[in-house]
Amino acid sequence: MASERDLFSTEIVNRGIESTGPNAGSMTFSVRVRRRLPDFLQSVNLKYVKLGYHYLINHGIYLLTIPLLLVVFSAEVGSLSKEDLWKKLWQDASYDLATVLTSFGVFVFTFSVYFMSRPRPIYLIDYACYRPEDELKVSREQFIEVARKSGKFEEGSLEFQKRILMSSGIGDETYIPKAVISSTENTATMKEGRAEASMVMFGALDELFEKTRIRPKDIGVLVVNCSIFNPTPSLSAMIINHYKMRGNILSYNLGGMGCSAGIIAVDLARDILQSNPNNYAVVVSTEMVGFNWYQGKERSMLIPNCFFRMGCSALLLSNRRRDYSRGKYRLEHIVRTHKGADDRSFRCVYQEEDDQKFKGLKISKDLIEIGGDALKTNITTLGPLVLPFSEQLLFFGTLGWRHLFGSNKKSDGNNLASSKKPYIPDYKLAFEHFCVHAASKPILDELQRNLELSDRNMEASRMTLHRFGNTSSSSIWYELAYLEAKERVKKGDRIWQLAFGSGFKCNSVVWRAMRRATKGSRNNPWLDCINTYPVSLT
C-alpha cells in the first residue's frame, strides 16, 4: 500500500508581499494540496491482464497452428534426401494424379475461405483538424476580461477562473466562439449551437474532401460524435444535408459520451466497415463550446469554461484493399474501458443545473482518482496486445509470482510480495509516439509520472493543450497533426492515442504508419506556428 503522503502532491501558489499588519513587507504564499493519480502500474488487476491475453489469442490463433504444421511438415520432409523427395513427388504426380488434384483443391479452398473470412484491414486515408479564424483567438487575460464584461460572474468567480487558467497549461492563442466573445446574452441557445457546429464541422470536412479528393457522395458511412450539443435534426443530418450525400448512407450520431467518444466513433465505424466491404467511412469528432458556456457561480461547474476550446477533426477510413497504397495509417487495436457501473465513476463528470437553474458540467473532486482506476484497467488490457514478448514475459512472471506466493511471510514478518515489486512494462518499447488526451496540465503531469514517459513523449499533448486548449474528443488528432508537422512519424511507427471522459470511460486506439508523414504545404493546423514549438511551460 502506498503511504498517505504518496497520494498527494503540493504546489506553492499566490506568492506575494504582506502589505499591512505586523508582518508588512514579508513574503507570503499559499500551499495547494491536490490528490495524485493512483500509481496504477504498481497495482495491477490480474483479470484485466487475462482479458488482454484473451483478445490476443482469439485474434492470433493461427500464430500457434502455423508453426506446429511447419514442424510436422519439416520432420516428414527432413527424413528424405533430395533425390528421394523429387522421386516421391514425381511418382505421386504421375500415378496418383487424383490425390494430388484433390489435395491442391482442398488447399486452395481452405486458403480462399481464410482469406475471405478474415477481418478486412481498416486504413486511415487522411484526416483534417479545423483551425478557426484568428479573430476568434483569445488570450488568458482577454478571457477573464470577456467574462468580466459579460456581467455574469462575481469577482470571486472571476478570480477562481483566473487561477485555474494560469495553472492549466493553456496558452494565449486558443479559440472561443464569437457569441461568447461579443455577446452579453445567453450563448447556450440552439441557434448559436448550430452556427458553431456548422463552422467547425463543415470547415474540417471541406479540408478533408480537398485533401483526399473524395466526393461526399462516395461516403457510405458517417459517424458524428458531440457530447453536449444534440439538436434535432441531428448533427449527422446537418452534414448530409449540407453536402447532399447519398440516400442510402449509414449515419450515426453519438451524444453524451464525453472526451473519449472520438475513439468510440472510430470503433463503431470499424465494425460497420467490416460488414460493408468496399466502403468509405467519415468520422467527425467535435464539441460545442458556446452551448456549454456556464454562467453561474458553482465553482466545480466553472472549470469547463476555463479548459474547453473550439476544435473539430474529420477522418476518412476505408476498407478497400486497393487503398493500401493511399493509406497513411492502418488500424491495429482498439481497447475500450467503461466504469459506469460504479456510482462515483458515473457521476464524476455530470451535466446538471445549479441552484439558479443554470446548466453546466459538474466536475467531481474525485475525478483524478476515478480516472486513474479506468486508465489502469485500460493499459493493463492493452499491454498483452502491444508489448514485446520479452516485456510480457518479465511482467507476467513477476505478476504471477506475487499472486502465487503473496500470502507467504518472510521470517521478519514482511509480506514476500511486498519485497518483490511487479515489473513495470516499458510502453516506450511498444509505441514510438504518444497522443494522450490534452485535458489539463496536472493530469498530463501525473500520466507522465505513472507511465514513466519522457518530455518528448508528452510533447505533442502539452503543446496541443497550450496552442488549442482542450478540444475534447478531437484533441488526439491535433496531437497527431503536431507530430506530422514536426515530421517525426516514419513508416512502420506505432501511435498510441489515449482518451478518457465522462461515464467514466478510458479508450485506446493503436495505429501503424504506412508511410512517412510530412507536414505538407497546407491543411495542417500547425503550419503557421510549428517553428516556434515546443515552448517552455514553466
Side-chain angles (χ1 to χ4, degrees), residues 355-411:
D355 295 337
Q356 297 176 288
K357 304 302 179 183
F358 289 127
K359 172 177 61 68
L361 278 180
K362 187 171 186 178
I363 308 297
S364 168
K365 61 182 180 181
D366 298 326
L367 175 63
I368 290 183
E369 179 186 353
I370 291 167
D373 183 59
L375 283 165
K376 178 183 69 174
T377 301
N378 190 266
I379 67 171
T380 304
T381 305
L382 179 67
L385 302 176
V386 298
L387 288 170
F389 182 73
S390 57
E391 287 293 298
Q392 294 190 51
L393 188 63
L394 289 169
F395 171 68
F396 199 73
T398 55
L399 183 64
W401 178 272
R402 287 169 59 86
H403 279 271
L404 288 174
F405 304 105
S407 59
N408 294 340
K409 302 291 182 178
K410 296 178 71 175
S411 58

Short mmCIF file of all heavy atoms in Angstrom, two decimals, residues 355-411:
data_model
loop_
_atom_site.label_atom_id
_atom_site.label_comp_id
_atom_site.label_asym_id
_atom_site.label_seq_id
_atom_site.Cartn_x
_atom_site.Cartn_y
_atom_site.Cartn_z
N ASP A 355 -28.26 25.85 -8.48
CA ASP A 355 -29.38 26.40 -7.72
C ASP A 355 -30.11 27.52 -8.46
O ASP A 355 -31.28 27.79 -8.19
CB ASP A 355 -28.89 26.92 -6.37
CG ASP A 355 -28.35 25.79 -5.49
OD1 ASP A 355 -28.75 24.63 -5.73
OD2 ASP A 355 -27.53 26.07 -4.59
N GLN A 356 -29.40 28.18 -9.39
CA GLN A 356 -30.01 29.26 -10.17
C GLN A 356 -30.59 28.77 -11.49
O GLN A 356 -30.96 29.57 -12.33
CB GLN A 356 -28.96 30.34 -10.45
CG GLN A 356 -28.41 31.02 -9.20
CD GLN A 356 -27.31 32.00 -9.55
OE1 GLN A 356 -26.20 31.61 -9.92
NE2 GLN A 356 -27.63 33.28 -9.44
N LYS A 357 -30.61 27.43 -11.66
CA LYS A 357 -31.13 26.81 -12.88
C LYS A 357 -30.25 27.03 -14.10
O LYS A 357 -30.71 26.91 -15.24
CB LYS A 357 -32.56 27.28 -13.18
CG LYS A 357 -33.55 27.05 -12.05
CD LYS A 357 -33.62 25.58 -11.65
CE LYS A 357 -34.60 25.35 -10.50
NZ LYS A 357 -34.63 23.93 -10.06
N PHE A 358 -28.95 27.34 -13.88
CA PHE A 358 -28.00 27.43 -14.98
C PHE A 358 -27.44 26.03 -15.25
O PHE A 358 -27.01 25.34 -14.34
CB PHE A 358 -26.86 28.40 -14.66
CG PHE A 358 -27.27 29.83 -14.65
CD1 PHE A 358 -26.99 30.64 -13.55
CD2 PHE A 358 -27.93 30.39 -15.73
CE1 PHE A 358 -27.37 31.97 -13.52
CE2 PHE A 358 -28.31 31.72 -15.72
CZ PHE A 358 -28.04 32.51 -14.61
N LYS A 359 -27.42 25.66 -16.52
CA LYS A 359 -26.95 24.33 -16.93
C LYS A 359 -25.43 24.34 -17.10
O LYS A 359 -24.86 25.29 -17.62
CB LYS A 359 -27.64 23.92 -18.23
CG LYS A 359 -27.11 22.65 -18.88
CD LYS A 359 -27.91 22.31 -20.12
CE LYS A 359 -27.81 23.41 -21.15
NZ LYS A 359 -26.44 23.52 -21.72
N GLY A 360 -24.79 23.24 -16.67
CA GLY A 360 -23.35 23.13 -16.85
C GLY A 360 -22.84 21.75 -16.48
O GLY A 360 -23.61 20.88 -16.03
N LEU A 361 -21.54 21.54 -16.68
CA LEU A 361 -20.89 20.28 -16.33
C LEU A 361 -20.27 20.39 -14.94
O LEU A 361 -19.47 21.31 -14.70
CB LEU A 361 -19.79 19.93 -17.33
CG LEU A 361 -20.19 19.27 -18.64
CD1 LEU A 361 -18.95 19.01 -19.48
CD2 LEU A 361 -20.93 17.96 -18.40
N LYS A 362 -20.62 19.49 -14.06
CA LYS A 362 -20.07 19.49 -12.72
C LYS A 362 -18.92 18.48 -12.66
O LYS A 362 -19.10 17.30 -12.98
CB LYS A 362 -21.14 19.13 -11.69
CG LYS A 362 -20.68 19.28 -10.25
CD LYS A 362 -21.84 19.12 -9.28
CE LYS A 362 -21.40 19.43 -7.86
NZ LYS A 362 -22.54 19.33 -6.91
N ILE A 363 -17.75 18.95 -12.26
CA ILE A 363 -16.55 18.12 -12.18
C ILE A 363 -16.31 17.70 -10.75
O ILE A 363 -16.15 18.55 -9.87
CB ILE A 363 -15.31 18.86 -12.73
CG1 ILE A 363 -15.59 19.43 -14.12
CG2 ILE A 363 -14.11 17.94 -12.74
CD1 ILE A 363 -15.88 18.40 -15.17
N SER A 364 -16.29 16.41 -10.49
CA SER A 364 -16.09 15.91 -9.13
C SER A 364 -14.63 16.04 -8.69
O SER A 364 -13.72 15.95 -9.51
CB SER A 364 -16.53 14.44 -9.05
OG SER A 364 -16.12 13.85 -7.84
N LYS A 365 -14.43 16.24 -7.40
CA LYS A 365 -13.07 16.29 -6.87
C LYS A 365 -12.40 14.92 -6.92
O LYS A 365 -11.18 14.82 -6.75
CB LYS A 365 -13.09 16.80 -5.43
CG LYS A 365 -13.89 15.93 -4.47
CD LYS A 365 -13.91 16.52 -3.08
CE LYS A 365 -14.71 15.65 -2.11
NZ LYS A 365 -14.75 16.21 -0.75
N ASP A 366 -13.18 13.86 -7.14
CA ASP A 366 -12.62 12.51 -7.23
C ASP A 366 -12.23 12.13 -8.65
O ASP A 366 -11.89 10.98 -8.92
CB ASP A 366 -13.65 11.48 -6.73
CG ASP A 366 -14.02 11.69 -5.28
OD1 ASP A 366 -13.13 12.10 -4.51
OD2 ASP A 366 -15.19 11.46 -4.91
N LEU A 367 -12.26 13.10 -9.58
CA LEU A 367 -12.03 12.79 -10.99
C LEU A 367 -10.68 12.14 -11.23
O LEU A 367 -10.58 11.15 -11.97
CB LEU A 367 -12.15 14.08 -11.82
CG LEU A 367 -11.83 13.95 -13.31
CD1 LEU A 367 -12.80 13.00 -13.99
CD2 LEU A 367 -11.85 15.31 -13.99
N ILE A 368 -9.63 12.67 -10.60
CA ILE A 368 -8.29 12.13 -10.86
C ILE A 368 -8.18 10.70 -10.35
O ILE A 368 -7.63 9.82 -11.03
CB ILE A 368 -7.22 13.03 -10.21
CG1 ILE A 368 -7.14 14.37 -10.95
CG2 ILE A 368 -5.86 12.35 -10.19
CD1 ILE A 368 -6.08 15.31 -10.44
N GLU A 369 -8.72 10.43 -9.18
CA GLU A 369 -8.68 9.07 -8.63
C GLU A 369 -9.47 8.10 -9.51
O GLU A 369 -9.00 6.99 -9.82
CB GLU A 369 -9.23 9.08 -7.21
CG GLU A 369 -9.25 7.70 -6.56
CD GLU A 369 -9.93 7.72 -5.20
OE1 GLU A 369 -10.27 8.82 -4.72
OE2 GLU A 369 -10.12 6.63 -4.63
N ILE A 370 -10.66 8.51 -9.93
CA ILE A 370 -11.51 7.65 -10.77
C ILE A 370 -10.88 7.44 -12.14
O ILE A 370 -10.86 6.33 -12.68
CB ILE A 370 -12.91 8.27 -10.89
CG1 ILE A 370 -13.63 8.20 -9.54
CG2 ILE A 370 -13.73 7.58 -11.98
CD1 ILE A 370 -14.87 9.05 -9.46
N GLY A 371 -10.32 8.52 -12.70
CA GLY A 371 -9.65 8.40 -13.98
C GLY A 371 -8.46 7.47 -13.92
O GLY A 371 -8.20 6.70 -14.86
N GLY A 372 -7.72 7.53 -12.83
CA GLY A 372 -6.56 6.63 -12.68
C GLY A 372 -6.96 5.18 -12.66
O GLY A 372 -6.27 4.32 -13.24
N ASP A 373 -8.08 4.85 -12.03
CA ASP A 373 -8.55 3.46 -12.00
C ASP A 373 -8.94 2.98 -13.39
O ASP A 373 -8.63 1.85 -13.79
CB ASP A 373 -9.74 3.36 -11.04
CG ASP A 373 -10.24 1.93 -10.91
OD1 ASP A 373 -9.45 1.05 -10.49
OD2 ASP A 373 -11.43 1.68 -11.21
N ALA A 374 -9.62 3.84 -14.15
CA ALA A 374 -10.00 3.46 -15.52
C ALA A 374 -8.77 3.31 -16.41
O ALA A 374 -8.69 2.40 -17.24
CB ALA A 374 -10.94 4.51 -16.10
N LEU A 375 -7.79 4.19 -16.24
CA LEU A 375 -6.55 4.10 -17.01
C LEU A 375 -5.80 2.81 -16.70
O LEU A 375 -5.26 2.15 -17.60
CB LEU A 375 -5.67 5.30 -16.71
CG LEU A 375 -6.07 6.62 -17.37
CD1 LEU A 375 -5.35 7.78 -16.71
CD2 LEU A 375 -5.75 6.58 -18.85
N LYS A 376 -5.77 2.46 -15.42
CA LYS A 376 -5.09 1.22 -15.03
C LYS A 376 -5.70 0.02 -15.72
O LYS A 376 -5.00 -0.85 -16.26
CB LYS A 376 -5.17 1.05 -13.51
CG LYS A 376 -4.52 -0.24 -13.00
CD LYS A 376 -4.69 -0.38 -11.50
CE LYS A 376 -6.13 -0.64 -11.13
NZ LYS A 376 -6.30 -0.92 -9.68
N THR A 377 -7.03 -0.04 -15.72
CA THR A 377 -7.72 -1.15 -16.37
C THR A 377 -7.43 -1.18 -17.87
O THR A 377 -7.15 -2.24 -18.44
CB THR A 377 -9.24 -1.03 -16.15
OG1 THR A 377 -9.51 -1.02 -14.74
CG2 THR A 377 -9.98 -2.17 -16.80
N ASN A 378 -7.45 -0.01 -18.50
CA ASN A 378 -7.28 0.04 -19.94
C ASN A 378 -5.88 -0.37 -20.37
O ASN A 378 -5.72 -1.18 -21.29
CB ASN A 378 -7.60 1.46 -20.44
CG ASN A 378 -7.67 1.54 -21.94
OD1 ASN A 378 -6.69 1.88 -22.61
ND2 ASN A 378 -8.83 1.24 -22.50
N ILE A 379 -4.86 0.17 -19.73
CA ILE A 379 -3.50 -0.14 -20.18
C ILE A 379 -3.11 -1.57 -19.81
O ILE A 379 -2.28 -2.18 -20.47
CB ILE A 379 -2.47 0.87 -19.63
CG1 ILE A 379 -2.34 0.74 -18.11
CG2 ILE A 379 -2.82 2.28 -20.04
CD1 ILE A 379 -1.19 1.57 -17.55
N THR A 380 -3.72 -2.11 -18.74
CA THR A 380 -3.44 -3.50 -18.38
C THR A 380 -4.02 -4.45 -19.42
O THR A 380 -3.41 -5.46 -19.76
CB THR A 380 -4.05 -3.82 -16.99
OG1 THR A 380 -3.53 -2.90 -16.03
CG2 THR A 380 -3.69 -5.22 -16.56
N THR A 381 -5.19 -4.10 -19.97
CA THR A 381 -5.79 -4.90 -21.03
C THR A 381 -5.03 -4.74 -22.34
O THR A 381 -4.85 -5.70 -23.10
CB THR A 381 -7.26 -4.49 -21.23
OG1 THR A 381 -7.95 -4.58 -19.97
CG2 THR A 381 -7.94 -5.40 -22.24
N LEU A 382 -4.55 -3.53 -22.60
CA LEU A 382 -3.85 -3.26 -23.85
C LEU A 382 -2.46 -3.89 -23.89
O LEU A 382 -1.99 -4.31 -24.96
CB LEU A 382 -3.73 -1.74 -24.05
CG LEU A 382 -3.01 -1.25 -25.30
CD1 LEU A 382 -3.81 -1.59 -26.55
CD2 LEU A 382 -2.75 0.26 -25.21
N GLY A 383 -1.81 -3.99 -22.74
CA GLY A 383 -0.42 -4.45 -22.68
C GLY A 383 -0.12 -5.72 -23.45
O GLY A 383 0.80 -5.75 -24.28
N PRO A 384 -0.85 -6.83 -23.21
CA PRO A 384 -0.54 -8.07 -23.94
C PRO A 384 -0.69 -7.96 -25.45
O PRO A 384 -0.12 -8.77 -26.18
CB PRO A 384 -1.56 -9.07 -23.36
CG PRO A 384 -1.93 -8.52 -22.02
CD PRO A 384 -1.88 -7.04 -22.18
N LEU A 385 -1.44 -6.98 -25.94
CA LEU A 385 -1.64 -6.85 -27.38
C LEU A 385 -0.50 -6.12 -28.06
O LEU A 385 -0.30 -6.27 -29.27
CB LEU A 385 -2.95 -6.10 -27.66
CG LEU A 385 -4.24 -6.69 -27.08
CD1 LEU A 385 -5.42 -5.77 -27.37
CD2 LEU A 385 -4.50 -8.07 -27.64
N VAL A 386 0.24 -5.32 -27.31
CA VAL A 386 1.22 -4.42 -27.95
C VAL A 386 2.65 -4.58 -27.44
O VAL A 386 3.58 -4.23 -28.16
CB VAL A 386 0.76 -2.95 -27.79
CG1 VAL A 386 -0.57 -2.72 -28.47
CG2 VAL A 386 0.68 -2.55 -26.32
N LEU A 387 2.82 -5.06 -26.23
CA LEU A 387 4.16 -5.12 -25.66
C LEU A 387 5.00 -6.22 -26.30
O LEU A 387 4.46 -7.28 -26.67
CB LEU A 387 4.09 -5.37 -24.15
CG LEU A 387 3.60 -4.20 -23.29
CD1 LEU A 387 3.33 -4.67 -21.86
CD2 LEU A 387 4.61 -3.06 -23.28
N PRO A 388 6.30 -6.02 -26.47
CA PRO A 388 7.17 -7.09 -26.96
C PRO A 388 7.11 -8.30 -26.04
O PRO A 388 6.82 -8.18 -24.84
CB PRO A 388 8.57 -6.45 -26.95
CG PRO A 388 8.33 -4.97 -26.92
CD PRO A 388 7.04 -4.77 -26.20
N PHE A 389 7.42 -9.47 -26.59
CA PHE A 389 7.31 -10.71 -25.81
C PHE A 389 8.21 -10.67 -24.59
O PHE A 389 7.84 -11.18 -23.53
CB PHE A 389 7.66 -11.91 -26.70
CG PHE A 389 7.54 -13.23 -25.98
CD1 PHE A 389 6.30 -13.76 -25.68
CD2 PHE A 389 8.68 -13.91 -25.59
CE1 PHE A 389 6.18 -14.96 -25.00
CE2 PHE A 389 8.58 -15.13 -24.92
CZ PHE A 389 7.32 -15.65 -24.63
N SER A 390 9.39 -10.07 -24.72
CA SER A 390 10.31 -10.01 -23.58
C SER A 390 9.70 -9.23 -22.43
O SER A 390 9.82 -9.62 -21.26
CB SER A 390 11.64 -9.38 -24.01
OG SER A 390 11.41 -8.08 -24.54
N GLU A 391 9.03 -8.10 -22.74
CA GLU A 391 8.39 -7.31 -21.70
C GLU A 391 7.22 -8.06 -21.08
O GLU A 391 7.02 -8.03 -19.86
CB GLU A 391 7.89 -5.99 -22.29
CG GLU A 391 8.96 -5.00 -22.62
CD GLU A 391 9.65 -4.48 -21.38
OE1 GLU A 391 8.99 -3.86 -20.53
OE2 GLU A 391 10.86 -4.73 -21.22
N GLN A 392 6.44 -8.76 -21.90
CA GLN A 392 5.32 -9.53 -21.38
C GLN A 392 5.79 -10.65 -20.46
O GLN A 392 5.18 -10.93 -19.43
CB GLN A 392 4.51 -10.12 -22.54
CG GLN A 392 3.83 -9.09 -23.41
CD GLN A 392 2.87 -9.73 -24.39
OE1 GLN A 392 2.02 -10.54 -24.01
NE2 GLN A 392 2.99 -9.38 -25.66
N LEU A 393 6.90 -11.29 -20.83
CA LEU A 393 7.42 -12.39 -20.03
C LEU A 393 7.85 -11.90 -18.65
O LEU A 393 7.51 -12.50 -17.62
CB LEU A 393 8.59 -13.05 -20.76
CG LEU A 393 9.13 -14.35 -20.15
CD1 LEU A 393 8.06 -15.44 -20.15
CD2 LEU A 393 10.35 -14.83 -20.93
N LEU A 394 8.60 -10.80 -18.61
CA LEU A 394 9.04 -10.26 -17.33
C LEU A 394 7.86 -9.77 -16.49
O LEU A 394 7.79 -10.02 -15.29
CB LEU A 394 10.02 -9.10 -17.58
CG LEU A 394 11.40 -9.49 -18.11
CD1 LEU A 394 12.17 -8.26 -18.55
CD2 LEU A 394 12.19 -10.26 -17.05
N PHE A 395 6.95 -9.08 -17.15
CA PHE A 395 5.80 -8.55 -16.44
C PHE A 395 4.91 -9.66 -15.88
O PHE A 395 4.54 -9.66 -14.71
CB PHE A 395 4.99 -7.65 -17.38
CG PHE A 395 3.68 -7.20 -16.82
CD1 PHE A 395 3.63 -6.32 -15.76
CD2 PHE A 395 2.48 -7.65 -17.36
CE1 PHE A 395 2.41 -5.89 -15.25
CE2 PHE A 395 1.27 -7.24 -16.85
CZ PHE A 395 1.25 -6.36 -15.80
N PHE A 396 4.58 -10.64 -16.74
CA PHE A 396 3.69 -11.70 -16.32
C PHE A 396 4.36 -12.60 -15.29
O PHE A 396 3.70 -13.13 -14.39
CB PHE A 396 3.24 -12.52 -17.54
CG PHE A 396 2.00 -13.34 -17.28
CD1 PHE A 396 0.77 -12.72 -17.19
CD2 PHE A 396 2.06 -14.71 -17.13
CE1 PHE A 396 -0.39 -13.45 -16.96
CE2 PHE A 396 0.92 -15.46 -16.89
CZ PHE A 396 -0.31 -14.82 -16.80
N GLY A 397 5.68 -12.78 -15.42
CA GLY A 397 6.39 -13.60 -14.44
C GLY A 397 6.36 -13.01 -13.05
O GLY A 397 6.04 -13.69 -12.07
N THR A 398 6.66 -11.71 -12.92
CA THR A 398 6.64 -11.07 -11.60
C THR A 398 5.22 -10.96 -11.07
O THR A 398 4.98 -11.10 -9.87
CB THR A 398 7.27 -9.67 -11.68
OG1 THR A 398 6.59 -8.90 -12.69
CG2 THR A 398 8.74 -9.76 -12.03
N LEU A 399 4.26 -10.75 -11.97
CA LEU A 399 2.86 -10.69 -11.53
C LEU A 399 2.39 -12.04 -11.02
O LEU A 399 1.73 -12.14 -9.97
CB LEU A 399 1.98 -10.23 -12.70
CG LEU A 399 0.50 -10.03 -12.39
CD1 LEU A 399 0.31 -8.90 -11.40
CD2 LEU A 399 -0.28 -9.73 -13.67
N GLY A 400 2.74 -13.10 -11.74
CA GLY A 400 2.38 -14.44 -11.29
C GLY A 400 3.02 -14.79 -9.96
O GLY A 400 2.40 -15.43 -9.10
N TRP A 401 4.27 -14.38 -9.77
CA TRP A 401 4.97 -14.63 -8.50
C TRP A 401 4.22 -13.99 -7.34
O TRP A 401 4.04 -14.60 -6.30
CB TRP A 401 6.39 -14.10 -8.60
CG TRP A 401 7.19 -14.27 -7.35
CD1 TRP A 401 7.25 -13.42 -6.29
CD2 TRP A 401 8.01 -15.40 -7.00
NE1 TRP A 401 8.07 -13.92 -5.31
CE2 TRP A 401 8.55 -15.13 -5.73
CE3 TRP A 401 8.34 -16.58 -7.65
CZ2 TRP A 401 9.41 -16.03 -5.10
CZ3 TRP A 401 9.20 -17.46 -7.02
CH2 TRP A 401 9.72 -17.19 -5.76
N ARG A 402 3.78 -12.76 -7.54
CA ARG A 402 3.07 -12.06 -6.47
C ARG A 402 1.74 -12.73 -6.15
O ARG A 402 1.36 -12.83 -4.98
CB ARG A 402 2.82 -10.60 -6.88
CG ARG A 402 4.06 -9.73 -6.86
CD ARG A 402 3.79 -8.38 -7.52
NE ARG A 402 2.72 -7.65 -6.85
CZ ARG A 402 2.90 -6.86 -5.80
NH1 ARG A 402 4.11 -6.70 -5.29
NH2 ARG A 402 1.88 -6.23 -5.26
N HIS A 403 1.04 -13.22 -7.16
CA HIS A 403 -0.27 -13.82 -6.92
C HIS A 403 -0.14 -15.24 -6.35
O HIS A 403 -1.02 -15.69 -5.63
CB HIS A 403 -1.07 -13.85 -8.22
CG HIS A 403 -1.73 -12.53 -8.53
ND1 HIS A 403 -2.98 -12.19 -8.09
CD2 HIS A 403 -1.28 -11.46 -9.24
CE1 HIS A 403 -3.29 -10.96 -8.50
NE2 HIS A 403 -2.27 -10.51 -9.21
N LEU A 404 0.93 -15.93 -6.70
CA LEU A 404 1.09 -17.30 -6.21
C LEU A 404 1.67 -17.35 -4.81
O LEU A 404 1.29 -18.18 -4.00
CB LEU A 404 2.00 -18.09 -7.17
CG LEU A 404 1.39 -18.46 -8.53
CD1 LEU A 404 2.44 -19.12 -9.41
CD2 LEU A 404 0.20 -19.40 -8.34
N PHE A 405 2.62 -16.44 -4.54
CA PHE A 405 3.34 -16.51 -3.26
C PHE A 405 3.12 -15.27 -2.41
O PHE A 405 3.87 -15.03 -1.46
CB PHE A 405 4.84 -16.69 -3.53
CG PHE A 405 5.16 -17.89 -4.38
CD1 PHE A 405 5.52 -17.73 -5.70
CD2 PHE A 405 5.06 -19.18 -3.85
CE1 PHE A 405 5.82 -18.83 -6.49
CE2 PHE A 405 5.35 -20.27 -4.64
CZ PHE A 405 5.73 -20.11 -5.97
N GLY A 406 2.11 -14.49 -2.74
CA GLY A 406 1.88 -13.26 -1.98
C GLY A 406 1.46 -13.49 -0.56
O GLY A 406 1.61 -12.63 0.29
N SER A 407 0.92 -14.69 -0.25
CA SER A 407 0.43 -14.95 1.11
C SER A 407 1.53 -15.46 2.03
O SER A 407 1.35 -15.56 3.23
CB SER A 407 -0.70 -15.97 1.06
OG SER A 407 -0.25 -17.18 0.47
N ASN A 408 2.69 -15.84 1.45
CA ASN A 408 3.79 -16.33 2.27
C ASN A 408 4.43 -15.19 3.05
O ASN A 408 4.50 -14.07 2.58
CB ASN A 408 4.86 -16.99 1.40
CG ASN A 408 4.33 -18.25 0.73
OD1 ASN A 408 3.34 -18.82 1.19
ND2 ASN A 408 4.96 -18.65 -0.36
N LYS A 409 4.93 -15.51 4.20
CA LYS A 409 5.54 -14.48 5.04
C LYS A 409 7.03 -14.76 5.19
O LYS A 409 7.47 -15.92 5.31
CB LYS A 409 4.91 -14.48 6.45
CG LYS A 409 3.41 -14.24 6.43
CD LYS A 409 3.08 -12.84 6.01
CE LYS A 409 1.57 -12.60 6.05
NZ LYS A 409 1.21 -11.25 5.69
N LYS A 410 7.80 -13.69 5.20
CA LYS A 410 9.22 -13.83 5.48
C LYS A 410 9.41 -13.91 7.00
O LYS A 410 8.53 -13.59 7.78
CB LYS A 410 9.97 -12.62 4.91
CG LYS A 410 9.88 -12.54 3.37
CD LYS A 410 10.57 -11.33 2.83
CE LYS A 410 12.08 -11.46 2.95
NZ LYS A 410 12.80 -10.36 2.33
N SER A 411 10.59 -14.30 7.37
CA SER A 411 10.86 -14.50 8.79
C SER A 411 10.77 -13.21 9.58
O SER A 411 10.49 -13.23 10.76
CB SER A 411 12.26 -15.11 8.96
OG SER A 411 13.24 -14.26 8.38
#
